[in-house]
Amino acid sequence: MKFLPIHKEYDSDIDPVQTGGDQLLKFAKHFALGLEFPKNSDAAFIQNEKTELFENIFNFLPVPLIITRKSTGTIILISAGVETILQTKKAELIGKNFSEIIENKEVFDQISSQLESHGKIINNEIRIQNIYGESISCLISIETIIANGESLYLNALTNISERKILEVAIQNSEDNLRTVFENTEVGYILFNQFQNIISFNKPASIFAIKEFNKEINVGTNFSTYFPEIMRDYLTNIIAPVLNGETTSFERFILHNSEHHWYYVKFSPVFNKDQLVAGFIMSMENITERKKNEIELNKSLNLVTEQNKRLLNFSYIVSHNLRSHASNMISILNFLEKEKSETEKAGLMIHLKKVSQLLNETLFNLNEVVSIQKNLNTTLEKLNIFEYINQAIAILHKEIAAKKVVVNNNVPLDIDLNYNPAYLESILLNFLSNAIKYASPNRLPIINFTSVKNNNTIELTISDNGMGIDMNKYHDRLFGMYKTFHGNKDAKGIGLFITKNQIDAMGSKIEVISEINVGTSFKITFV
C-alpha cells in the first residue's frame, strides 16, 4: 500500500540539501510514493523491491527527515541527516515518541495544536536535544501524509545552530552599535530617498526640540523641520547627496540670543546595487570649539595689530624721537660755542620749537598708549544720529566757512554700545578731515548713512572731496604722521588715532577712495 501525499505538486528542480520548509517537504513526499508499512508494526517493512529501494534511499538521505504516526507521535523512520544532527543511530530513535527529542514540551504542544488546526507547519523554530543533552536550534516543517489508510506526519528539520550563533553575534553587535549610537554626542538621522525619516538617535531628538522646538517623528519629511526661507538652500545641499556625494558645513543657530554652532554632514547610503537608497544627517554641537576658535582668531588679530603698532612705535622712536634729540644736541652744541647773545637768543627760539615738537610726539604716543590701556573701558548705549549732530554742531564754523552740505541720513532708532569719548573722537576726526580736504572745484557734500546687518551696525561717512590715491597710499593710510595732500597744517595723526580707537573696540574700518571723486569710510561696529 503506497503513501498518498495529500498535495501532489512537486518541483523537480529542488535541491533537497540546500532547501527547507515547504520545498523540502515536496522533495520528501516525492520519494514517499510507493512506500508501504504494516499497520501494527513500527519497524517491520514489507519486503518488496520498491520498499527496500525507498528505505535504502531514505536512510542515506543527508536531509534530516523523520516520519511519525499521527495518532501516537511514534517515530517509525528517520534519515541519515537526523542521525548526524542528534549524533546517534536510528535504532536508538525508532519507536521513541517524537516529543522526547523536543526540548520544550510547551513548544511541542503548540506544534500539535497547529497541526490539528491546519494539518501542516512551515519553518517553526524549535530546539531539540542530542544524546549528550546538547541543545540544537532547528526549523521544522511538518505535513500530513497517508499510508495504508493511516495518517502520518512527515517532519523535515533544518539545522540552524550556526545561524543562531551568528544571529546572537550580530544582535550583540547591533546592541553595541545601538549603545554607541544612542550615547554619542553627535545627532544622527537616517532618511530614505524621499527624504522621510527612518530612524534617529537621542541626541538628534534633543537637537530638534532645543533648536526648533519640534519633536522628530519617523515618517515625517526633512523639510518640515526648517523654516520656509531655508528650504531652497537645503534642497541645493541635498541634491548632490542623492547623487552619491558627501557634503558638510558649519552653521550657527540663534537660540535665546546665543549663537549655537553646529557641524552638519550629509552622507549618502547605498543599497547592494550601489544605488543611493537614502542619506544620513549628522549634527555635532561645536559651539565651545567655535568660541575658542573665534577667541583664538581675535587673539591672533590682536597680536597682528599689536605688531603693527610696535612697528609704528619703532618708527617713531627710531626716526622722530631721534630727529628731535639730534636737533636738540646740535642746537646745544652751537649754544656752548656761540658768544653772541643775539645768536644765542635765536638758537634758544629754535630749541623751544624742537622741544615743542618733541612734546607733541610724546603726547601722541601717550594718546595711543592710553587707548590700548583702556580696552575694557565703560560702554554706554549711544544714539548714532544724535552723536553725529553733536559733531556737526562742534564743527559748525568750519562747515559754514567752506559752505559744506552735511547730510545726517542715519535712522533715529540705531543705538550702539560704545565708549562715548571714542565715538565722539571718531566722528569728529572723519568729519573734520572731510571738511579739510573738500574739493575747491565743487560744492562739498558729506553724507552719513547707517544700516543694521544681523549683529553688526555699519556706519558710512562719504564725501565728494579731493580723494586719496589708494594705489599709492593704501598700506600707509592709517600710519602715524602719514599725510597725502601736502597741506601745511596736516600732521598725519588723526587717522592713526581713529584707527586705534576703532581697533580697540573690536570694530573694523574699510576705505574706498578715488582722486578728484571722493572718499568713503565704512565702520563696522560688532
Side-chain angles (χ1 to χ4, degrees), residues 211-256:
E211 304 298 355
F212 298 110
N213 197 28
K214 293 182 179 180
E215 290 187 1
I216 300 180
N217 294 304
V218 171
T220 54
N221 193 269
F222 173 76
S223 62
T224 60
Y225 294 90
F226 298 91
E228 188 74 32
I229 195 171
M230 287 183 64
R231 291 182 185 175
D232 289 341
Y233 167 75
L234 291 168
T235 299
N236 292 333
I237 288 176
I238 294 173
V241 179
L242 294 175
N243 287 324
E245 299 178 22
T246 297
T247 185
S248 61
F249 57 89
E250 292 181 359
R251 185 175 181 85
F252 73 83
I253 298 172
L254 194 61
H255 181 79
N256 293 333

Side-chain angles (χ1 to χ4, degrees), residues 48-60:
N48 60 45
E49 291 183 4
K50 268 192 172 183
T51 302
E52 288 178 1
L53 178 61
F54 177 82
E55 184 179 359
N56 288 333
I57 294 173
F58 195 88
N59 284 340
F60 285 99

